[in-house]
């Protein structure tokens, strides 16, 4: 084959232009069908010259057949995670298999499970690990944050960005690791279309952090068999570069986005000390909270900022040594971690009990599956030909930097959970939910709402001349604020995730603010609800009105809590629409109660039986049925559940006494 001129070679490398397709066409026709055919064909590289940006498609493609695919077609939209779970449930039901409850599926008699986990987390940095290119967000156009080294162009060399060390060290310290004063980068050689250089730069031999641990408690969701707490060791934390993002298209075409190449990652490698599926999922969840609390990671597991690989093996109870492990790659949710571990454990046990042998291989898991599927084999250890990177020097980390980062670490999840439960009297479930939602921003939103609510209550007390101090901040009203921040806001988020026109949810910022539902607006609603100025139904309607943009933000008022009642947007909206609660009088409640019990002889008979001692428990359900009837039949917006229940109890007692006297 004659030598290719330099000009033609540069056009091919930079733009994918082929001067004479004859040779390539003959080669393509001679290639066998299969996986090796992909590796032999070229990539199209775009967005490298400004003049070409308007002419070429935004996605780089790897073509594996002769059919031409329209590169300008946008990628198919990703289904919301809630919808994926529904599809999984439908597929499981269709297959005729009934899934065991998670709590009943943690152990198999006669067998012991061992799990080790590798978590890849994208660091919160402005630049890539070895180039000056900026990191991209999820909404950026493909292949717009690319430097020459990211594409492995000839002559380009890595330039380590020291700022990427800061979030990495924070993460390692939060995981109780020992920071190494000197670490080095190595090359991990393998070929794949998402890795243009043919190797990945990582820290195999000398990582920057070692010998850590993470403690999981019962409140974190570990298996009941693990007791109140379990400690899992962390072998090492290493820095490495990410690969390109691959988007599968119809046929055998892959779209490549090189924005992600070179993005800094840390890989957290645990010791094989996990023995129950629920504990494996709890560890990944806890690591995500820890990384978010120290601002080390950009997003969570389900948003793509974390990726978890689990190594699973089983052995008979009492056997020494570990069984042959298999690896399950790229699990994208906590539920997927637990379900995949259960499925792979059961597959291996079934295989061994039938006389088979577990092979070392890489397997995959997808929503809706009932078992893992084989991706590729590992006949012995894969030879990645690790070698020190000759273009990068050692990374030296000073003790002063480590000490400074320790002092400015902030509050870790365990300490924050303890504070939420002890100071604000929240349940462990509510505390952890607040800390986990919106990447940790929901708990900050809760603090903002609670502070604003307490300020309003204190200002109103002072304005009315009560002269009394409110209880310790959060002690009395935190439950009200937490319920609304979790459940009522959760309904808004669910509505947003199920709507194609509003897929951004609450758009919560790390500072705990939502432009759709400002914390000051929710605090104003809760203030009026707490003071019984509005009903719960009106409060919920107001929240939806704020979410739809029908109510001016309360933050646009004077900002003085003492003026909030007169000037904020919530108060003005309530006044304009005449939504203030005007509760019925005692006489009106009694008249309404007499009306609703008419024709309810069967229900009233339950109260007579209880009075006569024929029933052990008070018929509370029947009482609430009548309360609901009062609220439906009464004037809209004037019946309050507690007031209706109180008056109805008195009316029923009088009716029962009269009924017994007439017998």
């Amino acid at each position: 084959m004659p030598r290719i001129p330099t000009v033609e070679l540069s056009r091919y490398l930079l733009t994918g232009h082929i001067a004479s397709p004859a040779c390539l066409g003959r080669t393509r026709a001679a290639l066998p069908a299969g996986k090796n055919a992909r590796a032999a064909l070229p990539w199209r590289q775009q967005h490298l010259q400004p003049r070409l940006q308007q002419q070429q498609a935004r996605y780089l493609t790897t073509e594996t057949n002769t059919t031409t695919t329209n590169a300008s077609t946008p990628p198919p939209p990703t289904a919301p995670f809630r919808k994926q779970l529904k599809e999984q449930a439908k597929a499981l039901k269709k297959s005729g298999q009934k899934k065991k409850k998670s709590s009943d599926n943690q152990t198999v008699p006669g067998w012991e499970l061992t799990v080790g986990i590798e978590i890849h987390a994208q660091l919160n940095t402005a630049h890539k690990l070895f180039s000056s290119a900026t990191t991209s967000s999820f909404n950026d156009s493909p292949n717009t944050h690319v430097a020459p080294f990211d594409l492995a162009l000839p002559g380009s060399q890595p330039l380590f960005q020291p700022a990427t060390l800061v979030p990495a060290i924070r993460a390692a310290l939060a995981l109780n690791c020992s920071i190494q004063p000197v670490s080095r980068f190595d090359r991990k050689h393998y070929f794949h279309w998402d890795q243009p250089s043919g190797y990945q730069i990582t820290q195999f031999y000398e990582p920057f952090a070692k010998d850590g641990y993470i403690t999981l408690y019962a409140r974190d969701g570990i298996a009941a068999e693990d007791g109140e707490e379990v400690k899992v060791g962390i072998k090492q934390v290493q820095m490495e570069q990410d690969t390109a993002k691959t988007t599968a298209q119809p046929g055998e075409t892959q779209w490549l986005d090189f924005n992600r190449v070179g993005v800094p990652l840390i890989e957290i490698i645990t010791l094989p000390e996990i023995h129950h599926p629920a504990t494996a999922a709890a560890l990944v969840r806890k690591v995500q909270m820890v990384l978010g609390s120290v601002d080390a990671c950009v997003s969570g597991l389900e948003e793509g900022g974390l990726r978890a690989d689990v190594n699973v093996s089983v052995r008979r109870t009492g056997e020494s040594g570990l069984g042959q492990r298999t690896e399950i790659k790229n699990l994208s949710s906590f539920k997927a971690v637990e379900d995949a571990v259960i499925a792979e454990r059961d597959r291996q046990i079934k295989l061994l009990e039938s006389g088979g042998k577990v092979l070392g291989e890489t397997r995959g898991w997808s929503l809706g599956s009932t078992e893992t599927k084989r991706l590729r084999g590992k006949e012995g250890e894969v030879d990645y030909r690790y070698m020190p990177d000759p273009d990068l020097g050692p990374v030296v980390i000073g003790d002063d930097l480590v000490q400074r980062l320790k002092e400015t670490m902030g509050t870790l999840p365990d300490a924050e959970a303890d504070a939420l439960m002890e100071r604000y009297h929240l349940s462990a479930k509510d505390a952890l939910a607040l800390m986990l939602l919106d990447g940790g921003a929901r708990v900050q939103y809760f603090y903002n709402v609670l502070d604003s609510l307490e300020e309003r209550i204190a200002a109103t007390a002072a304005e009315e001349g009560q002269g009394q101090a409110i209880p310790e901040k959060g002690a009395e009203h935190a439950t009200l604020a937490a319920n609304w921040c979790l459940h009522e806001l959760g309904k808004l988020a669910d509505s947003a995730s199920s709507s194609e026109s509003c897929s951004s949810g609450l758009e919560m910022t790390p500072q705990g603010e939502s432009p759709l539902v400002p914390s000051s607006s929710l605090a104003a609603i809760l203030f009026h609800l707490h003071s019984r100025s509005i009903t719960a139904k009106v409060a919920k309607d107001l929240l939806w009105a704020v979410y739809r943009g029908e109510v001016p933000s309360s933050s646009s008022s004077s900002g003085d809590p003492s003026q909030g009642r007169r000037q904020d947007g919530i108060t003005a909206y309530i006044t304009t629409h005449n939504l203030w609660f005007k509760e019925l009088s005692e006489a009106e409640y009694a008249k309404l109660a007499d009306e609703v019990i008419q024709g309810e002889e069967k229900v009233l008979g339950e109260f007579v039986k209880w009075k006569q001692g024929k029933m052990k428990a008070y018929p509370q359900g029947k009482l609430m049925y009548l309360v609901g009837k009062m609220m439906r039949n009464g004037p809209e917006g004037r019946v309050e559940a507690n007031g209706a229940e109180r008056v109805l109890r008195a009316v029923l007692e009088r009716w029962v006494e009269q009924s017994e006297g007439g017998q």
Side-chain angles (χ1 to χ4, degrees):
M1 182 175 182
R3 179 179 179 275
I4 302 176
T6 304
V7 175
E8 292 185 12
L9 182 60
S10 64
R11 288 177 181 172
Y12 167 69
L13 289 174
L14 295 176
T15 68
H17 176 75
I18 302 174
S20 175
C23 178
L24 182 60
R26 288 193 299 271
T27 304
R28 179 180 297 180
L31 284 173
K35 62 181 182 180
N36 293 329
R38 295 187 181 182
L41 300 182
W43 291 312
R44 294 183 181 272
Q45 300 180 342
Q46 304 174 19
H47 286 287
L48 299 179
Q49 297 179 5
R51 187 176 62 182
L52 297 173
Q53 291 182 354
Q54 298 177 354
Q55 301 174 358
Q56 299 177 335
R58 290 189 180 275
Y59 281 89
L60 298 158
T61 63
T62 298
E63 298 181 5
T64 56
N65 55 23
T66 57
T67 304
T68 302
T69 302
N70 184 4
S72 63
T73 305
T78 303
F81 183 66
R82 183 177 293 273
K83 185 176 181 181
Q84 296 180 40
L85 292 179
K86 290 181 179 179
E87 292 176 351
Q88 178 189 18
K90 289 180 181 178
L92 196 62
K93 184 177 180 181
K94 187 176 181 181
S95 66
Q97 301 185 29
K98 187 175 181 180
K99 190 174 181 180
K100 292 183 180 179
K101 291 183 179 180
S102 174
S103 58
D104 300 334
N105 206 10
Q106 296 302 306
T107 60
V108 176
W111 293 90
E112 181 180 336
L113 169 72
T114 302
V115 178
I117 302 180
E118 301 170 4
I119 300 175
H120 296 82
Q122 180 178 330
L123 293 175
N124 186 12
T125 62
H127 294 277
K128 296 187 177 182
L129 188 56
F130 299 115
S131 75
S132 59
T134 57
T135 54
S136 62
S137 66
F138 294 107
N139 297 323
D140 288 342
S141 299
N143 302 304
T144 55
H145 296 262
V146 182
F149 177 74
D150 302 330
L151 295 176
L153 294 182
S156 61
Q157 287 191 324
L159 180 63
F160 177 66
Q161 305 294 312
T164 59
L165 267 177
V166 174
I169 296 175
R170 280 204 195 103
L173 291 174
L175 295 171
N176 304 294
C177 291
S178 173
I179 306 300
Q180 305 302 300
V182 178
S183 60
R184 290 178 171 83
F185 288 105
D186 309 299
R187 291 183 178 181
K188 176 183 178 181
H189 294 86
Y190 67 93
F191 179 80
H192 200 260
W193 56 56
D194 60 4
Q195 186 65 269
S197 62
Y199 60 86
Q200 180 189 34
I201 301 179
T202 182
Q203 291 185 317
F204 182 73
Y205 294 112
E206 298 183 59
F208 79 97
K210 295 180 179 179
D211 304 327
Y213 67 89
I214 186 167
T215 304
L216 305 174
Y217 299 95
R219 69 190 182 200
D220 294 317
I222 63 177
E225 292 80 359
D226 282 321
E228 289 299 315
E229 68 177 74
V230 60
K231 181 181 288 187
V232 179
I234 295 175
K235 178 182 178 182
Q236 64 189 54
V237 180
Q238 59 195 44
M239 297 186 73
E240 60 187 29
Q241 59 179 171
D242 207 346
T243 58
K245 178 181 178 181
T246 303
T247 305
Q249 297 300 304
E252 295 191 13
T253 298
Q254 308 289 336
W255 286 359
L256 298 178
D257 179 9
F258 285 94
N259 282 348
R260 206 175 70 180
V261 168
V263 168
L265 303 176
I266 53 171
E267 182 178 4
I268 303 166
I269 304 174
T270 76
L271 295 173
E273 297 177 345
I274 302 170
H275 302 291
H276 300 97
T279 304
L283 181 135
V284 178
R285 187 185 302 111
K286 185 70 169 284
V287 168
Q288 175 175 309
M289 286 196 298
V290 169
L291 298 183
S293 68
V294 297
D295 198 28
C297 189
V298 294
S299 59
L301 190 70
E302 294 168 2
E303 294 82 13
L306 266 72
R307 300 193 291 277
D309 305 336
V310 296
N311 295 282
V312 180
S313 68
V314 297
R315 63 182 177 185
R316 295 186 185 274
T317 303
E319 287 185 353
S320 61
L322 297 177
Q324 175 62 55
R325 67 180 176 89
T326 58
E327 183 180 22
I328 309 173
K329 299 286 287 186
N330 294 329
L331 299 174
S332 59
S333 70
F334 309 124
K335 178 177 172 58
V337 171
E338 182 172 1
D339 289 349
V341 170
I342 291 174
E344 179 59 17
R345 176 201 65 190
D346 294 346
R347 186 193 71 86
Q348 291 187 18
I349 292 175
K350 182 179 179 181
L351 184 62
L352 292 173
E353 288 181 338
S354 64
K357 180 181 179 182
V358 176
L359 301 178
E361 57 189 4
T362 300
R363 302 183 69 85
W365 171 264
S366 59
L367 289 173
S369 301
T370 56
E371 62 181 24
T372 60
K373 61 182 180 180
R374 185 179 188 275
L375 298 179
R376 57 183 179 271
K378 289 185 177 180
E379 293 77 10
E381 291 297 324
V382 177
D383 183 11
Y384 288 116
R385 294 177 293 136
Y386 285 101
M387 59 169 282
D389 193 305
D391 295 328
L392 291 166
V395 178
V396 180
I397 303 175
D399 291 338
D400 54 343
L401 174 61
V402 175
Q403 187 62 33
R404 175 62 176 169
L405 292 178
K406 281 184 180 179
E407 295 171 354
T408 58
M409 184 74 71
T411 305
L412 294 178
D414 286 335
E416 186 158 36
D418 291 339
L420 288 170
M421 291 187 291
E422 295 172 6
R423 180 178 180 183
Y424 299 107
H425 307 298
L426 300 185
S427 66
K429 181 179 179 180
D430 287 348
L432 292 178
L434 282 173
M435 294 167 58
L436 192 61
L437 288 170
D438 298 315
R442 188 74 67 92
V443 69
Q444 187 59 48
Y445 182 88
F446 160 75
Y447 292 139
N448 295 340
V449 170
L450 185 59
D451 288 344
S452 182
L453 175 60
E454 296 284 3
E455 289 175 1
R456 287 173 179 272
I457 293 174
T460 301
E463 185 179 347
E464 295 176 354
Q466 296 179 7
Q468 60 184 24
I470 63 172
E472 182 184 355
K473 181 173 288 189
E476 183 180 356
H477 311 102
T479 301
L480 175 65
N483 285 338
W484 279 71
C485 289
L486 280 173
H487 306 300
E488 299 305 325
L489 279 184
K491 295 176 184 177
L492 301 183
D494 290 345
S495 173
S497 64
S498 62
S499 172
E500 295 181 0
S501 60
C502 186
S503 59
S504 54
L506 298 171
E507 301 180 2
M508 200 74 70
T509 67
Q511 292 74 32
E513 278 299 340
S514 168
L516 300 178
V517 185
S519 60
S520 57
S521 295
L522 179 55
I525 294 173
L526 296 183
F527 169 74
H528 293 307
L529 179 62
H530 174 265
S531 60
R532 299 185 63 186
S533 301
I534 59 175
T535 64
K537 180 180 182 301
V538 169
K540 294 175 183 179
D541 291 341
L542 280 171
L543 182 63
W544 279 95
V546 171
Y547 179 68
R548 292 191 295 264
E550 299 171 4
V551 183
S553 171
S554 294
S555 60
S556 63
S557 62
S558 64
D560 183 357
S562 65
Q563 302 298 320
R565 171 78 183 219
R566 294 191 290 270
Q567 295 186 13
D568 72 50
I570 297 294
T571 304
Y573 188 89
I574 295 173
T575 302
T576 302
H577 293 78
N578 194 24
L579 299 176
W580 295 113
F581 178 48
K582 301 173 184 177
E583 190 173 5
L584 295 178
S585 64
E586 292 287 324
E588 290 173 323
Y589 268 132
K591 181 180 178 182
L592 181 60
D594 288 332
E595 292 175 357
V596 299
I597 65 175
Q598 298 301 319
E600 296 287 354
E601 287 76 11
K602 185 176 180 180
V603 174
L604 295 174
E606 299 289 323
F607 294 93
V608 174
K609 291 180 181 179
W610 175 79
K611 186 71 173 179
Q612 295 174 347
K614 297 179 180 179
M615 296 178 60
K616 294 182 179 180
Y618 184 80
Q620 183 69 21
K622 303 298 183 183
L623 177 68
M624 298 313 297
Y625 160 73
L626 295 175
V627 170
K629 192 174 178 181
M630 286 181 66
M631 298 187 71
R632 291 191 301 271
N633 294 355
E636 185 176 357
R638 297 195 61 192
V639 181
E640 199 267 333
N642 292 333
E645 180 181 354
R646 174 175 47 80
V647 174
L648 182 60
R649 281 181 180 271
V651 170
L652 288 172
E653 289 178 6
R654 186 172 67 250
W655 187 92
V656 170
E657 291 175 358
Q658 292 175 354
S659 176
E660 290 181 338
Q663 291 180 354

